[in-house]
Structures are given as C-alpha cells and as structure tokens.
Amino acid sequence: MVGIVFSRWTTPILWVLNEHGRHRFVELERRITTITPKVLTERLRQLERDGLVVRTYHPEVPPRVEYEISELGRSLAPLFAALGEWSINLGKVEQARQDYDAREPVRSRRT
Amino acid sequence: MVGIVFSRWTTPILWVLNEHGRHRFVELERRITTITPKVLTERLRQLERDGLVVRTYHPEVPPRVEYEISELGRSLAPLFAALGEWSINLGKVEQARQDYDAREPVRSRRT
DNA sequence: CTGTATCCCGCAAGATACTG
DNA sequence: CAGTATCTTGCGGGATACAG
C-alpha cells in the first residue's frame, strides 16, 4: 500500500513530474540517469494505472508521448515536501550504520 | 534510500512505535498481526542499525527486550502525519485501477 | 520470551538486444 | 522516439521448526 507511492523508482519519477512538469519519455530517462527503459516503462504504466500520472500519446512521426502528474498525484505534494525536509537526516543514518557496524558483533547483542 | 523508512514492514513498525511508545518483541508481534518473528527480527535489526529504533536488552529470566523509537526516528513524525492524511485518497487509486482495467486493452495504448 | 535456522518463492529490477 | 523481448539476479518476505 505504501508501495503505491514509495518504491525505488516511483518516488523519483513522481518527484520529477511534480517539480518540473510535463516530460517526454526520453527526458525522464535523462533526468533519472540510472533507470533503464524497461523499468521506466513498467513504473510509468503502474503510475498511470493508479491514476497518479497522465500519459498523452501524440500520433506523429516520430511519435511523441508526454507524461504529467495528475490531480491525484498533485495531492502528494505535502508528502514529498515532508520527505524532502527529512532527507537532511540521511547523514545521521549513515553515521548510525557506521557506529553499529563498528561495535563488537557478539557482545553488542546482549548489552 | 526511501526504503530506509518505507517498505512493507518498516513503516508499520515505526508507526506503532511512534504512536504507542515502547514495546516488547511479542507486543509488536501482536499489534502487527500478520508479521512473522523472522521478518520482525530482520526489520528491527535494520531499523536499529539505521538509528531509528533503540533496542534495550534486560538480562533477566525470562529475557526481556524493549524497542522504542529514537530521537532520529521521532523526526519522521511529520512525514507519517502527511502519509496518514494522504491515505484518504486510497479509494481514488482503487477507482483509477478499475477504470484503467475496464478500458480496451489495445486501443487504450494509442489514444 | 526472544529470537535463529532453513528452505522456498515472487517480484522488482538490471543487462542486453531489438522493433515500429 | 518510445518502447518490447528475454533472461538473470537480488532481496524482502513467508512457512516451519527449533533453541537459549
């Protein structure tokens, strides 16, 4: 259920469409540099089906397709804003991991 | 990166610890009824390592262990509040799916 | 009570190549 | 340009049994 919005790739896609408006397929590919076309297609289809993204097909040569965030997708804005603010704390998470990994493997379980 | 906080089980666990305070292992198990002990252990370890949850071991017989949300974990509260508010829209997502699935499988791709 | 140990499974995701 | 087709992999998660 939380996976509707938050997964490895749905969050970046929604974020970009929310912040920077309408995008063509290749534009999304360039902005989210490490995603592959296969995965981008799969996630876009899911988001379209869930009503969070609107896909517009322009029957031209060469073909042109545009993706934009829907009204329902826009309602996620406060959530993304909160996420953006919290991301300041990512460094603390990284620090916590290093501290945890530096502790004695066995004793740490009991104390 | 979003998986630090949002996954199938980390979100419910953090939510419970944030809303209802300190819990023992078995209390968490009961509150999150469908989770298995193995998975609960795995997610708690991850959250502990990430510094979002604090584990306290009481060397008694029988052993007692308590989990509570950390200071860093508390900083997620606004995010959870935003998530809670957005969840009103889950019905719209369900409706969008039904509409999508009801459309003609082939023509819908081109128009 | 608080976990571990195995074994298995599904599915998102990655690599690579190809098409209308 | 905007995808599809295949194949493979990694990892979270489920079932079940067992241990300190």
Side-chain angles (χ1 to χ4, degrees):
Chain A
M1 164 261 172
V2 84
I4 294 170
V5 178
F6 296 110
S7 79
R8 170 99 192 250
W9 295 116
T10 52
T11 308
I13 292 169
L14 288 169
W15 185 285
V16 165
L17 293 180
N18 188 56
E19 296 285 303
H20 305 289
R22 183 183 295 151
H23 282 68
R24 302 180 62 168
F25 188 90
V26 70
E27 290 171 341
L28 281 170
E29 241 185 319
R30 287 184 191 127
R31 219 184 262 274
I32 310 171
T33 54
T34 56
I35 198 171
T36 63
K38 182 205 139 196
V39 173
L40 179 56
T41 301
E42 289 171 350
R43 291 308 108 219
L44 283 171
R45 290 284 178 279
Q46 174 197 315
L47 292 169
E48 186 193 1
R49 187 171 102 101
D50 289 347
L52 299 173
V53 160
V54 176
R55 176 184 185 269
T56 309
Y57 176 84
H58 301 275
E60 308 168 356
V61 180
R64 185 162 57 95
V65 177
E66 291 181 313
Y67 294 92
E68 58 190 320
I69 201 156
S70 70
E71 187 61 28
L72 183 56
R74 277 206 192 291
S75 70
L76 291 166
L79 200 42
F80 285 173
L83 181 62
E85 289 189 29
W86 190 80
S87 65
I88 304 169
N89 295 303
L90 285 176
K92 295 181 185 172
V93 171
E94 183 53 35
Q95 184 61 49
R97 287 178 179 173
Q98 292 184 17
D99 293 351
Y100 184 95
D101 294 345
R103 277 151 49 191
E104 288 297 316
V106 177
R107 274 197 63 80
S108 64
R109 282 292 83 217
R110 330 210 136 267
T111 38
Chain B
M1 165 260 174
V2 85
I4 294 170
V5 178
F6 297 109
S7 80
R8 170 105 191 245
W9 295 116
T10 52
T11 308
I13 292 170
L14 287 170
W15 185 285
V16 165
L17 292 180
N18 187 57
E19 296 287 301
H20 306 288
R22 183 184 296 151
H23 281 68
R24 301 181 61 169
F25 188 90
V26 72
E27 290 171 340
L28 282 171
E29 240 184 321
R30 286 185 193 127
R31 217 184 264 274
I32 310 172
T33 52
T34 55
I35 198 169
T36 63
K38 180 204 141 196
V39 173
L40 180 55
T41 302
E42 289 171 349
R43 293 306 108 219
L44 283 171
R45 289 286 178 278
Q46 174 197 315
L47 292 170
E48 185 194 2
R49 187 172 102 101
D50 289 347
L52 299 173
V53 159
V54 176
R55 177 183 186 269
T56 310
Y57 177 83
H58 301 275
E60 308 167 357
V61 179
R64 185 163 56 93
V65 177
E66 291 181 312
Y67 295 93
E68 58 189 319
I69 200 154
S70 69
E71 186 61 29
L72 182 56
R74 277 207 192 289
S75 68
L76 290 166
L79 199 41
F80 284 173
L83 181 62
E85 290 189 27
W86 189 80
S87 66
I88 304 167
N89 295 301
L90 284 175
K92 295 182 185 172
V93 171
E94 183 52 36
Q95 185 61 50
R97 286 178 178 171
Q98 292 184 16
D99 294 351
Y100 184 95
D101 294 346
R103 277 151 51 189
E104 288 296 318
V106 176
R107 274 198 62 80
S108 65
R109 283 290 85 218
R110 333 208 136 268
T111 39

